Amino acid sequence: MLMKTIIFAILAVGALAQEFTLQRLPSIELKNMLTTQCQKNGAEDKVDEVENSGKAFVECVKGLIDVDTLKREIEEARPNGALDEVFKKYCAKTPQLKSCIHNLLDGVTPCVDTEAKGHITEAKNATDLLIDFVCYKDGDRIALFIAEGGPQCFQSKVNEIKTCGDTLKNSVSSVEEAKNLTIEQRCAKYDELVTCVVGKLETCDTPTPSNMFESLAKYVRNSTPCPVSTTYIISIL
């Protein structure tokens, strides 16, 4: 339900931002999906409200980050080894970015189901954790990730990583079975997915992308009810 809430928020943004385009689904189709979701949860009169939250989110982020400018700054800083300075500047804006995301999640709340509404706070915490991880020490991690070819690594392994997700999906026969999994079983499947993805990334030219992803996975896992993993203990020792 946590992921469902986040996905619905992304759907709202994709459907409503005039300058936000997705290759696979036209904005009109996304908007129809959004409307259907609101109707399903008895919130037909809240469609405009959710629309406005999506638009406000896009404007909020655009006020903090201009993608073209960021790309140019990265390319200019890369040869000089000054990527850390670029991300230090943007990571200073994380409080505002978190606020943008929190407002978006609050804005889509009327159109999510009752169970998902109970996970709004968890969704906020999850996105906060991700931002904090990326901007640790003023963005040193993301600077290193880009300098070591992280984006290129992920792009080259996207199909292989997809097989990890497909394997996980196929290991559960139905939605009902997934709902009935115990915490231990869910955590075990999470660990299996992480191990699979790390294995794919380890075949890249440098170990940084796989190490970074594994560190992020551990960071996220430690914020969940999952018990301490023996595998993770061994990796620390």
Side-chain angles (χ1 to χ4, degrees), residues 144-213:
L144 177 62
F145 179 75
I146 290 179
E148 293 291 320
Q152 292 83 355
C153 170
F154 271 83
Q155 186 173 12
S156 68
K157 303 298 178 183
V158 65
N159 289 330
E160 295 178 46
I161 292 173
K162 184 177 181 297
T163 64
C164 294
D166 290 340
T167 299
L168 176 64
K169 180 180 178 182
N170 294 334
S171 70
V172 182
S173 61
S174 66
V175 174
E176 193 61 34
E177 181 184 346
K179 289 182 178 180
N180 291 329
L181 291 175
T182 65
I183 288 293
E184 289 76 12
Q185 290 172 323
R186 293 181 185 183
C187 295
K189 290 189 178 297
Y190 175 83
D191 293 343
E192 290 171 9
L193 176 63
V194 170
T195 299
C196 180
V197 174
V198 169
K200 305 301 183 185
L201 297 177
E202 283 178 338
T203 61
C204 288
D205 294 336
T206 67
T208 299
S210 62
N211 290 342
M212 195 77 71
F213 176 80

Side-chain angles (χ1 to χ4, degrees), residues 107-142:
V108 303
T109 298
C111 288
V112 298
D113 59 43
T114 302
E115 186 175 357
K117 286 177 181 176
H119 292 276
I120 292 293
T121 298
E122 291 179 37
K124 291 178 181 179
N125 291 339
T127 55
D128 285 354
L129 283 173
L130 176 59
I131 292 171
D132 289 342
F133 179 87
V134 170
C135 281
Y136 179 70
K137 290 187 176 179
D138 294 327
D140 280 359
R141 279 177 173 152
I142 186 64

